[in-house]
């Protein structure tokens, strides 16, 4: 696989992640990110994030700065604008892994390590096109570790400390204090391997610390002290369980390795399989200083989240680039027979299309809708099979499995995402109706159902303030009947109500204002 083919892989990775990227309604924590971004752009306050007009302290603002830039580039706070930064972060991290591996090993392993990182299950299917800060955080943390190590190995200590701390400070501005331990553990590993801890107390270190942390310190001084403390501690507190349960904690400890194997599918299973078969022997590579650094940094950071009771698998995403380099070194030499590899790819492609059609029709009972998605997937598959595959050598195990994962992601984006939206409650339609009904009225919300609130804000093009006691002459959204119920909006398992304490119908105020204008005239 040559560098030109790697660029084509990145193109098809972008293609697969971008299919239907704006189709699915924002879900899970995505609406919260959207609301913060929308309100930042409306108020012009980029230092204090807000949700429904209330201060939001659970995340520092850097991720939302990036989302704001994306929204300005795309022209609105749309699903595409909110999700595209995650796609871009995956591509940039893949390039980072490619660059680092090429500097310390060889160009072939550089290509393989980049393919491995971008096709980890948790990256490709979990967060690769989701409006969450995790892929950006992964890019910043892994960049701080890998750039720092590269510069230290080249004897450029001052630039190493400045770059390392600068990227760590941006990571801290993305997800808080957890960014720090990733970098410091890796620094400790480096000096443990080199056996020279005195360099920790060098002038270069303290100068690099001072200069590199300027973005973070600048943010601290630009906001109130209590706000900064609340924001930084919130991510740490959120990662700890609300109360200690010995049985649940034991289950987490036992299940963590299995969950990690699932998150790093297929590469975890590929490694385990060939290790058991005796085809690879990682201990042979431990004489390499870079391998020791990557392995210890990866394992110790992983151990932190294995031991920590409230950990989730996405918390370890920042060290997956390190694992990708290790796996490329260990399994990079294993190959398939060419005909067998081609048969596997062709069989997978031939199998996916009928599965998508049959499952899609059964799920939606709408053949014409599924036909559109099939055409979309076939465009991706046709270009992939007839344009991309003939130009590459897919006999290496890493390349073969990366291509299979890419095909599956194209299938997932074409069929699963569109069918999921088809079956989803009509949040957008309800929000548009609310926006149209209330366009001439003052509107508040007494519910924090953020999915609906985001779209109401978007379609009204105004901040939707939360209030437990909205003004009597206003309208407000509620999850229960209050005052005068002007309209009911069923939304899946939920029901929402447009209410007012004074108005008996939506047209009341409009009629009053019209009468007043007539009288004045």
């Amino acid at each position: 696989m040559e560098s030109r083919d790697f660029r084509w892989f990145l193109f098809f990775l972008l293609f697969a992640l971008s299919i239907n990227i704006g189709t699915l309604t924002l879900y899970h924590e995505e609406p919260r990110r959207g609301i913060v971004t929308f309100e930042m752009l409306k108020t012009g306050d980029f230092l204090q994030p807000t949700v429904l007009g209330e201060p939001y302290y659970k995340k520092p603002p850097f991720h939302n700065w990036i989302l704001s830039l994306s929204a300005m580039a795309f022209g609105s706070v749309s699903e595409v604008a909110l999700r595209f930064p995650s796609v871009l972060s995956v591509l940039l991290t893949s390039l980072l892994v490619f660059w680092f591996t090429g500097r310390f090993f060889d160009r072939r392993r550089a290509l393989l390590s980049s393919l491995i990182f971008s096709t980890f299950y948790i990256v490709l299917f979990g967060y690769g096109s989701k409006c969450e800060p995790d892929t950006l955080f992964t890019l910043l943390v892994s960049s701080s570790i890998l750039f720092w190590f590269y510069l230290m190995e080249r004897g450029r200590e001052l630039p190493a400390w400045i770059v390392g701390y600068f990227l760590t400070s941006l990571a801290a501005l993305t997800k808080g204090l957890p960014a720090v331990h990733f970098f410091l553990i890796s620094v400790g590993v480096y000096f443990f391997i080199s056996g020279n801890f005195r360099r920790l107390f060098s002038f270069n270190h303290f100068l690099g610390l001072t200069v590199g942390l300027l973005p973070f310190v600048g943010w601290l001084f630009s906001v109130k002290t209590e706000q900064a403390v609340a924001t930084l501690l919130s991510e740490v507190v959120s990662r700890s369980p609300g109360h200690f349960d010995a049985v649940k904690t034991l289950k987490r400890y036992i299940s963590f390795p299995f969950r990690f194997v699932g998150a790093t599918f297929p590469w975890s299973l590929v490694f385990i399989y060939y290790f058991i078969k005796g085809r690879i022997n990682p201990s042979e590579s431990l004489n390499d200083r870079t391998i020791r650094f990557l392995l210890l940094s990866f394992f110790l950071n992983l151990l932190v989240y294995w031991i920590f009771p409230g950990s989730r698998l996405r918390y370890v995403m920042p060290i997956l680039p390190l694992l990708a380099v290790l796996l490329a070194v260990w399994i990079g030499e294993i190959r398939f027979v060419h005909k067998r590899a081609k048969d596997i790819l062709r069989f997978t492609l031939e199998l996916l299309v009928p599965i998508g059609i049959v499952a899609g029709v059964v799920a939606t009972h709408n053949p014409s809708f599924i036909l559109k998605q099939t055409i979309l997937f076939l465009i991706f598959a046709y270009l992939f099979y007839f344009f991309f595959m003939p130009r590459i050598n897919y006999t290496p195990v890493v390349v073969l499995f990366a291509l299979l994962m890419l095909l599956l992601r194209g299938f997932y984006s074409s069929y699963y995402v569109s069918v999921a939206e088809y079956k989803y409650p009509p949040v957008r339609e309800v929000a548009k109706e609310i926006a149209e009904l209330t366009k001439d009225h003052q509107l508040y919300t007494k519910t924090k159902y953020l999915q609906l609130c985001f779209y109401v804000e978007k379609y009204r093009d105004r901040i939707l303030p939360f209030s437990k006691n909205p003004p009597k002459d206003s309208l407000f959204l509620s999850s229960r009947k209050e005052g005068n119920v002007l309209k009911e909006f069923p939304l899946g398992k939920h029901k929402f109500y447009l209410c007012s304490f004074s108005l008996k119908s939506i047209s009341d105020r409009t009629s009053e204002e019209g009468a007043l204008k007539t009288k004045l005239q």
Side-chain angles (χ1 to χ4, degrees), residues 455-514:
Y455 285 103
V456 171
E457 281 196 339
K458 178 182 176 182
Y459 295 130
R460 279 172 53 88
D461 197 28
R462 281 175 271 175
I463 293 174
L464 177 65
F466 174 82
S467 176
K468 292 181 180 179
N469 300 296
K472 289 187 177 181
D473 61 343
S474 68
L475 304 179
F476 63 90
L477 291 173
S478 177
S479 57
R480 58 192 180 91
K481 296 180 179 180
E482 298 183 65
N484 300 318
V485 177
L486 308 181
K487 187 151 188 179
E488 178 181 317
F489 300 95
L491 200 58
K493 297 179 181 179
H494 305 277
K495 285 185 179 181
F496 298 95
Y497 305 91
L498 181 61
C499 309
S500 176
F501 290 121
S502 61
L503 301 179
K504 294 182 180 180
S505 69
I506 298 175
S507 60
D508 281 357
R509 173 175 287 183
T510 305
S511 301
E512 290 175 7
E513 290 176 351

Side-chain angles (χ1 to χ4, degrees), residues 394-457:
Y394 39 80
T395 56
V397 164
V398 171
V399 177
L400 175 62
F401 276 94
L403 295 183
L404 287 171
M405 291 295 286
L406 202 55
L407 275 176
L408 291 174
R409 174 64 212 212
F411 174 84
Y412 172 88
S413 298
S414 300
Y415 288 104
Y416 178 81
V417 170
S418 58
V419 171
E421 177 59 27
Y422 187 89
K423 303 286 286 185
Y424 212 76
V427 179
R428 292 182 177 116
E429 289 74 10
V430 169
K432 282 181 181 178
E433 186 178 356
I434 293 172
E436 181 63 28
L437 289 171
T438 62
K439 63 183 179 181
D440 298 321
H441 298 267
Q442 192 178 15
L443 180 65
Y444 291 81
T445 180
K446 294 185 73 174
T447 177
K448 289 191 175 182
Y449 191 77
L450 297 184
Q451 193 176 51
L452 178 62
C453 291
F454 166 75
Y455 285 103
V456 171
E457 281 196 339

